[in-house]
Amino acid sequence: MNRFKITELGKNAFWLRGTERDHLVRVLRLTPGDKVLGYDNSGMEYTGVILKIEDKSVTCRIISSDHPDVEAHTSVFLVAGLSKGEKMEWVIQKGTELGMQGLLPLRTQRSVMQLEGSKALDRVARWQKIASEASKQSHRVREPQIGEVCDWRDLPEKLPAGTQWLIPYEEERTQRLASALNDFDPEYPIAILIGPEGGFEAAEVVRAREELGARSVSLGPRILRAETAALAALTLVLGYFGDI
Ligand code: SAH
């Protein structure tokens, strides 16, 4: 059954508009009587039957609702140093499939790409769309939220109180990820800070330790590219707490 993001949810019906409506009508060529699945980002999923197709809207009658157990039980956020466009896109798409809860793009000292003003807003909107499409494809019922491009000083208030911070750092020799996770409580969110292509400055790692209480950890003796490190760390954290 095809999946759609619900534009408006009523008691017994939901409506699809905009690109969701156009995709249903023009690409999939569904017609009244066909069944579809709808999700509204609340964690619920609805089975509907198409009642009416109009110029701007498709009306579906709800025939059943479900709360599928597809979302990770541990909230894991990626905080990614701004890297070149396609790398961020890749991390957002794959991170969504793996189950990340959200991603915050972070301006760092070695970020080659620096996004400001309306350009930053446009880019975040594009990244949100990628997260949205990947959510649909991977049957998620809650899309990860892509935050605005932020700076170090913004971080403490960007994520919920009680967030536990990790900073994978290639210069870290002793602390392994598993031993840090052993001290973490999976009931509280976990944020993983990953550097840009050129990595973090040592001062940024110190700042993360001091201001966020981040644990710096090694992902092994090999240097990974930023996007590999992001996905490896995400996978390891989700796997450690039983979500993969
Ligand atoms: N400074 C390095 C590479 C940075 S890799 C250089 O240019 O040679 C980009 C990011 O990936 C780092 O900031 C870090 O967060 C993560 N990373 C890569 N390899 C890692 C490893 N072996 N252990 C921990 N983190 C790693």
Side-chain angles (χ1 to χ4, degrees):
M1 227 184 302
N2 292 290
R3 297 167 57 81
F4 298 90
K5 188 157 132 192
I6 294 172
T7 314
E8 188 187 332
L9 179 68
K11 200 157 169 257
N12 302 309
F14 59 80
W15 290 267
L16 308 173
R17 305 199 178 96
T19 52
E20 296 297 284
R21 179 246 167 238
D22 294 348
H23 187 67
L24 181 150
V25 178
R26 297 209 197 117
V27 182
L28 300 168
R29 298 180 178 278
L30 299 183
T31 51
D34 287 337
K35 281 189 191 168
V36 294
L37 281 175
Y39 65 98
D40 68 340
N41 268 341
S42 70
M44 295 297 291
E45 190 172 75
Y46 302 89
T47 305
V49 59
I50 301 174
L51 270 188
K52 199 164 52 169
I53 297 182
E54 291 164 292
D55 277 357
K56 293 214 147 89
S57 159
V58 172
T59 309
C60 304
R61 183 167 56 80
I62 295 173
I63 51 179
S64 66
S65 62
D66 187 19
H67 191 293
D69 188 18
V70 287
E71 295 299 326
H73 297 264
T74 305
S75 294
V76 185
F77 293 87
L78 287 175
V79 181
L82 276 180
S83 290
K84 292 210 192 83
E86 69 276 15
K87 296 198 174 180
M88 295 294 279
E89 291 181 7
W90 203 78
V91 168
I92 289 166
Q93 186 187 61
K94 308 303 172 203
T96 300
E97 291 168 29
L98 288 164
M100 74 174 180
Q101 176 94 7
L103 180 141
L104 294 176
L106 176 69
R107 290 190 189 93
T108 65
Q109 291 183 25
R110 295 191 190 152
S111 291
V112 179
M113 182 177 74
Q114 291 291 352
L115 283 173
E116 306 289 341
S118 67
K119 222 172 149 201
L121 292 178
D122 289 351
R123 195 60 66 86
V124 170
R126 181 181 157 78
W127 289 336
Q128 186 62 57
K129 196 159 164 257
I130 290 170
S132 203
E133 281 162 10
S135 296
K136 195 187 274 187
Q137 187 270 328
S138 57
H139 293 200
R140 288 188 61 169
V141 286
R142 245 191 256 270
E143 292 176 358
Q145 294 303 304
I146 312 301
E148 283 172 27
V149 180
C150 63
D151 294 293
W152 282 99
R153 64 173 176 277
D154 307 325
L155 285 180
E157 73 217 29
K158 286 279 177 186
L159 292 180
T163 294
Q164 307 156 96
W165 297 82
L166 279 174
I167 182 162
Y169 184 40
E170 63 282 10
E171 305 280 327
E172 175 63 56
R173 295 276 169 262
T174 48
Q175 184 79 246
R176 304 206 131 252
L177 179 64
S179 59
L181 292 179
N182 205 20
D183 298 333
F184 279 18
D185 180 349
E187 296 296 317
Y188 287 90
I190 296 173
I192 306 170
L193 287 149
I194 294 286
E197 295 97 328
F200 288 119
E201 291 280 350
E204 291 178 305
V205 179
V206 170
R207 180 172 194 171
R209 282 201 200 104
E210 288 175 357
E211 290 180 14
L212 302 167
R215 299 275 293 262
S216 66
V217 293
S218 166
L219 295 175
R222 292 160 299 280
I223 302 292
L224 309 175
R225 286 190 187 264
E227 65 273 29
T228 315
L231 295 177
L234 174 67
T235 306
L236 287 164
V237 171
L238 287 170
Y240 187 87
F241 293 113
D243 273 308
I244 281 180

